[in-house]
Structure formats: structure tokens, C-alpha cells
């Protein structure tokens, strides 16, 4: 844990035009930590005390906050944590093979957050799981618990909310990439005797947990994105973003799956 004057000194070096790399080498502070101070200089709230040997007494949140916010969205949408054979846990995010770019993004996020820097792919029929092994996952994802996520209360810890507050789009992107989609409705209108096709892109997010839907819509509210509840295929678990300006912002920061 670095104090505020150390943080300011490192940022002052960057402000002189030095690269993150050279400042990192000179100060011994990781590039990810310096980068995170550029968006939030105050220390994050500490994680809850755990018995994890990696956390030790300080229990710092993950250093790469952007990657963490994205991975948190993926985890809440479609991830699971299960105990491994030794003292560690598997974090698994299932990705449809139809979206190879998402599999890459997911593997990269697990590598960035996993203290070991490792992640792998496990292939199954029609989907690929991005998997990371660590004793640390329950510390980083305290929402882990027995049973299904929609059967229990899901709330963010203060340190997680602080990360989502500075990286809201990464969090939204993770949620959309796991449990959302961008679709295009269309219709035709006859204008001046000519039939024209009009397209209406919109985003959907679908999750059976009311708590997780609420985390999604609270973050949209903070970003000024308009949304509505929407029943689709007889299922009331959908959030829709359809207003033109809001869809345009979502396109800049999220975009279609790839
Ligand atoms: Zn830990």
C-alpha cells in the first residue's frame, strides 16, 4: 500500500512526459498501480480480512482495475468459482465459440487479474471456457458462495463499488459480453412512394438475479444511459437500451459481440 505522497510523486514523473515503464523502473511501483492512480489517486477501501496467504494482512484489491471491472461483469453474468484439488479455486467464464474475440478478451482479463498472470482455455461442444486457477478468487469475488447467484443476495463490497465507479464502462462491457447482446430490429416505411428500410439497434441484458440487474441499471444511471424493463419471449428479466443517444454511447464503449 503506497501513501498519497508516493502516488503523487509517481504521477508527477508521468506528467513530465516520462513513460509508465521508466517511472515503474525508477520507483519500483508496478505500471498497473501507476495507471490506476491516473483515474483515482485515493487508496481504495481495503478488502475484507481473509485467511488467504496471498492477501496477508494488507489485502489490497487487484492492481489492474480496468481488467478487474470487466472481469467482475463477466463473472456476475456467466462465471463460476469452484474449489480445485489443492488449496486453489478455478474461475471459469463460459464463452460461446461464435465470438472468438470475446474469448480472447476474457482470457486476457483473467491473466491481468490473476496474481499468477495465468489463464487457459478449455474447449467443450459449442463453447470455450476461459479458466484461471488461484487461491485468491474468493477474495477478489466475495460474491462467491454456495448455490446459484440468483438464489442469494448479490451486493458489491465498498472496494468493488469504488473500482466500478472509476471503470463503469468496463463493468458494463463485461455484463453485456456475458449476459447481453446488441440486436437490430428493422421496419419499412413508405416515404414519397419509396419503400425504405429503417434499422433500430438496441442492447439487451438478461439475468434472472434482480440484484445483478440492479447493479447493471445503477451503473447505466451513473453514465446517463436510458433503459427500460422489457418483456421479451415472455421473460421479464430483460433490460433494454433503445434510445438513440444511449445506443450511440453504448456503441462507442461496448459495441456488438465479436
Ligand atoms: Zn487472497
Amino acid at each position: 500500500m503506497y501513501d498519497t505522497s508516493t502516488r503523487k510523486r509517481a504521477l508527477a514523473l508521468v506528467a513530465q512526459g516520462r513513460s509508465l515503464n521508466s517511472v515503474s523502473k525508477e520507483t519500483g511501483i508496478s505500471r498497473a498501480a501507476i495507471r490506476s492512480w491516473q483515474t483515482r489517486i485515493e487508496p481504495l477501501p481495503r478488502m475484507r480480512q481473509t485467511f488467504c496467504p496471498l492477501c496477508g494482512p494488507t489485502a489490497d484489491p487487484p492492481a489492474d482495475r480496468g481488467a478487474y471491472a470487466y472481469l467482475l461483469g463477466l463473472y456476475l453474468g456467466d462465471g463460476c468459482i469452484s474449489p480445485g484439488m489443492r488449496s486453489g479455486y478455478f474461475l471459469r467464464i463460459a464463452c460461446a465459440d461464435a465470438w472468438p474475440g470475446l474469448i480472447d478478451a476474457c482470457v486476457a482479463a483473467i491473466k491481468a487479474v490473476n496474481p499468477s498472470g495465468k489463464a487457459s482455455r478449455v474447449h467443450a461442444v459449442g463453447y470455450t471456457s476461459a479458466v484461471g486457477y488461484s487461491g485468491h478468487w474468493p477474495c477478489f469475488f466475495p460474491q462467491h458462495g454456495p448455490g446459484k447467484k440468483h438464489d442469494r443476495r448479490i451486493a458489491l463490497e465498498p472496494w468493488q463499488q469504488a473500482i466500478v465507479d472509476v471503470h463503469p464502462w468496463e463493468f458494463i462491457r463485461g455484463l453485456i459480453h456475458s449476459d447481453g447482446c446488441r440486436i437490430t430490429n428493422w421496419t419499412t416505411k413508405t416515404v414519397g412512394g419509396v419503400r425504405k428500410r429503417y434499422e433500430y439497434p438496441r442492447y439487451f441484458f438478461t439475468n434472472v438475479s434482480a440484484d445483478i440487474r440492479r447493479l447493471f441499471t445503477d451503473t447505466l444511471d451513473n453514465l446517463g444511459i436510458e433503459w427500460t424493463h422489457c418483456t421479451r419471449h415472455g421473460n421479464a428479466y430483460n433490460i433494454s437500451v433503445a434510445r438513440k443517444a444511449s445506443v450511440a454511447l453504448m456503441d462507442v464503449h461496448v459495441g456488438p459481440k465479436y
Side-chain angles (χ1 to χ4, degrees):
M1 191 62 110
Y2 298 99
D3 59 23
T4 307
S5 64
T6 308
R7 291 165 186 241
K8 283 187 176 158
R9 236 177 296 129
L11 288 183
L13 292 173
V14 177
Q16 288 168 14
R18 304 257 311 264
S19 71
L20 286 183
N21 228 348
S22 80
V23 176
S24 169
K25 267 188 193 147
E26 180 180 322
T27 58
I29 301 165
S30 76
R31 274 179 304 168
I34 300 170
R35 209 181 302 119
S36 74
W37 300 339
Q38 290 176 315
T39 44
R40 177 191 165 108
I41 193 160
E42 305 83 33
L44 289 172
R46 291 275 170 83
M47 298 197 298
R48 201 181 279 163
Q49 202 70 27
T50 67
F51 296 101
C52 161
L54 264 172
C55 283
T58 55
D60 281 335
D64 190 334
R65 277 82 192 258
Y68 176 76
Y70 177 62
L71 191 56
L72 179 62
L74 292 171
Y75 166 70
L76 290 178
D78 215 9
C80 75
I81 292 173
S82 54
M85 281 189 294
R86 286 162 289 141
S87 55
Y89 293 82
F90 290 105
L91 168 66
R92 281 193 188 83
I93 314 278
C95 311
D97 286 340
W99 316 115
L102 295 201
I103 301 173
D104 292 344
C106 186
V107 168
I110 293 177
K111 281 184 179 170
V113 173
N114 191 346
S116 75
K118 288 182 186 165
S120 57
R121 290 153 203 264
V122 177
H123 300 282
V125 178
Y127 71 97
T128 297
S129 292
V131 182
Y133 187 77
S134 172
H136 217 45
W137 295 131
C139 314
F140 282 174
F141 300 100
Q143 287 72 27
H144 169 63
K148 304 254 183 216
K149 286 193 209 89
H150 61 259
D151 291 331
R152 50 181 202 270
R153 207 177 90 83
I154 299 288
L156 298 185
E157 295 278 333
W159 65 268
Q160 293 181 296
Q161 187 61 57
I163 290 177
V164 169
D165 287 345
V166 285
H167 295 284
W169 281 115
E170 283 87 343
F171 183 59
I172 293 293
R173 199 184 308 130
L175 287 169
I176 292 285
H177 281 178
S178 58
D179 270 352
C181 61
R182 180 189 189 277
I183 63 159
T184 303
N185 291 119
W186 59 274
T187 185
T188 56
K189 270 186 207 161
T190 305
V191 179
V194 182
R195 255 165 89 83
K196 279 189 167 178
R197 181 181 159 119
Y198 289 90
E199 297 195 334
Y200 302 96
R202 53 160 63 183
Y203 285 82
F204 281 107
F205 176 73
T206 307
N207 192 291
V208 293
S209 161
D211 288 344
I212 293 173
R213 291 200 302 277
R214 183 68 188 272
L215 290 171
F216 178 70
T217 55
D218 281 352
T219 309
L220 291 183
D221 286 342
N222 289 340
L223 289 164
I225 301 289
E226 293 181 72
W227 54 271
T228 51
H229 281 287
C230 167
T231 303
R232 186 170 162 244
H233 306 311
N235 147 5
Y237 306 136
N238 282 294
I239 306 295
S240 160
V241 174
R243 297 291 292 267
K244 208 172 174 184
S246 294
V247 169
L249 260 179
M250 293 283 283
D251 279 348
V252 169
H253 294 279
V254 182
K257 296 191 185 187
Y258 56 100

